[in-house]
CSV table of all heavy atoms in Angstrom, one decimal:
chain,number,residue,atom,x,y,z
A,10,LEU,N,-27.1,-229.3,-113.7
A,10,LEU,CA,-28.1,-230.0,-113.0
A,10,LEU,C,-28.4,-229.5,-111.6
A,10,LEU,O,-29.5,-229.4,-111.1
A,10,LEU,CB,-27.5,-231.6,-112.7
A,10,LEU,CG,-27.5,-232.4,-114.1
A,10,LEU,CD1,-27.0,-233.8,-113.7
A,10,LEU,CD2,-29.0,-232.6,-114.6
A,13,MET,N,-30.4,-226.5,-112.2
A,13,MET,CA,-31.8,-226.9,-112.5
A,13,MET,C,-32.5,-227.3,-111.3
A,13,MET,O,-33.8,-226.9,-111.3
A,13,MET,CB,-31.8,-228.1,-113.5
A,13,MET,CG,-33.2,-228.5,-114.1
A,13,MET,SD,-33.2,-230.0,-114.9
A,13,MET,CE,-32.7,-231.2,-113.8
A,33,PHE,N,-56.2,-219.1,-98.4
A,33,PHE,CA,-56.8,-218.3,-97.4
A,33,PHE,C,-57.4,-217.0,-97.9
A,33,PHE,O,-58.2,-216.4,-97.2
A,33,PHE,CB,-55.4,-217.9,-96.5
A,33,PHE,CG,-55.0,-219.0,-95.7
A,33,PHE,CD1,-53.8,-219.7,-95.9
A,33,PHE,CD2,-55.8,-219.5,-94.6
A,33,PHE,CE1,-53.4,-220.9,-95.2
A,33,PHE,CE2,-55.4,-220.6,-93.8
A,33,PHE,CZ,-54.3,-221.3,-94.1
A,37,SER,N,-65.2,-218.0,-100.2
A,37,SER,CA,-66.3,-218.9,-100.5
A,37,SER,C,-66.0,-220.4,-99.8
A,37,SER,O,-67.0,-221.1,-99.5
A,37,SER,CB,-66.4,-219.3,-102.0
A,37,SER,OG,-65.3,-220.0,-102.5
A,43,LYS,N,-60.9,-224.8,-95.4
A,43,LYS,CA,-59.6,-224.2,-95.5
A,43,LYS,C,-58.6,-225.0,-94.6
A,43,LYS,O,-57.4,-225.4,-95.1
A,43,LYS,CB,-59.6,-222.8,-95.0
A,43,LYS,CG,-60.2,-221.8,-96.0
A,43,LYS,CD,-60.2,-220.4,-95.5
A,43,LYS,CE,-61.0,-219.5,-96.4
A,43,LYS,NZ,-60.9,-218.2,-96.1
A,50,VAL,N,-52.3,-230.1,-97.9
A,50,VAL,CA,-51.1,-229.5,-98.6
A,50,VAL,C,-49.8,-229.6,-97.9
A,50,VAL,O,-48.8,-229.8,-98.4
A,50,VAL,CB,-51.5,-228.1,-99.1
A,50,VAL,CG1,-50.1,-227.3,-99.4
A,50,VAL,CG2,-52.5,-228.0,-100.2
A,52,VAL,N,-49.2,-231.9,-95.2
A,52,VAL,CA,-48.8,-233.4,-94.9
A,52,VAL,C,-48.3,-233.9,-96.2
A,52,VAL,O,-47.2,-234.7,-96.2
A,52,VAL,CB,-50.1,-234.1,-94.3
A,52,VAL,CG1,-49.8,-235.6,-94.3
A,52,VAL,CG2,-50.3,-233.6,-93.0
A,57,GLY,N,-50.9,-232.9,-102.6
A,57,GLY,CA,-51.9,-231.8,-102.1
A,57,GLY,C,-52.0,-230.7,-103.1
A,57,GLY,O,-53.1,-230.2,-103.4
A,71,VAL,N,-59.8,-216.6,-111.8
A,71,VAL,CA,-61.0,-215.7,-111.7
A,71,VAL,C,-60.8,-214.9,-110.4
A,71,VAL,O,-61.2,-213.7,-110.4
A,71,VAL,CB,-62.2,-216.6,-111.8
A,71,VAL,CG1,-63.4,-215.9,-111.6
A,71,VAL,CG2,-62.2,-217.3,-113.2
A,107,LYS,N,-58.6,-164.5,-99.7
A,107,LYS,CA,-59.2,-163.2,-100.4
A,107,LYS,C,-60.1,-162.5,-99.4
A,107,LYS,O,-60.0,-161.2,-99.4
A,107,LYS,CB,-60.2,-163.8,-101.6
A,107,LYS,CG,-60.9,-162.6,-102.2
A,107,LYS,CD,-61.9,-163.1,-103.2
A,107,LYS,CE,-62.8,-162.1,-103.8
A,107,LYS,NZ,-64.0,-162.5,-104.3
A,111,ASP,N,-55.6,-160.9,-98.1
A,111,ASP,CA,-54.2,-161.3,-98.6
A,111,ASP,C,-54.0,-161.4,-100.0
A,111,ASP,O,-53.0,-161.4,-100.6
A,111,ASP,CB,-53.8,-162.5,-97.9
A,111,ASP,CG,-53.5,-162.4,-96.4
A,111,ASP,OD1,-53.3,-161.3,-96.0
A,111,ASP,OD2,-53.8,-163.4,-95.7
A,116,GLU,N,-55.7,-161.7,-108.3
A,116,GLU,CA,-54.9,-163.0,-107.9
A,116,GLU,C,-55.8,-164.2,-107.6
A,116,GLU,O,-55.5,-165.3,-107.8
A,116,GLU,CB,-54.0,-162.5,-106.8
A,116,GLU,CG,-52.9,-161.5,-107.0
A,116,GLU,CD,-52.3,-161.1,-105.8
A,116,GLU,OE1,-52.9,-161.0,-104.7
A,116,GLU,OE2,-51.1,-160.7,-105.9
A,123,LYS,N,-56.3,-171.8,-111.8
A,123,LYS,CA,-55.2,-172.7,-111.8
A,123,LYS,C,-55.7,-174.0,-111.0
A,123,LYS,O,-55.4,-175.1,-111.4
A,123,LYS,CB,-54.0,-172.1,-111.1
A,123,LYS,CG,-52.8,-173.0,-111.2
A,123,LYS,CD,-51.6,-172.2,-110.7
A,123,LYS,CE,-50.4,-173.0,-110.5
A,123,LYS,NZ,-49.3,-172.3,-109.9
Side-chain angles (χ1 to χ4, degrees):
L10 290 175
M13 183 186 72
F33 285 110
S37 66
K43 288 180 184 185
V50 166
V52 171
V71 172
K107 179 184 163 203
D111 294 333
E116 292 173 331
K123 185 177 178 183

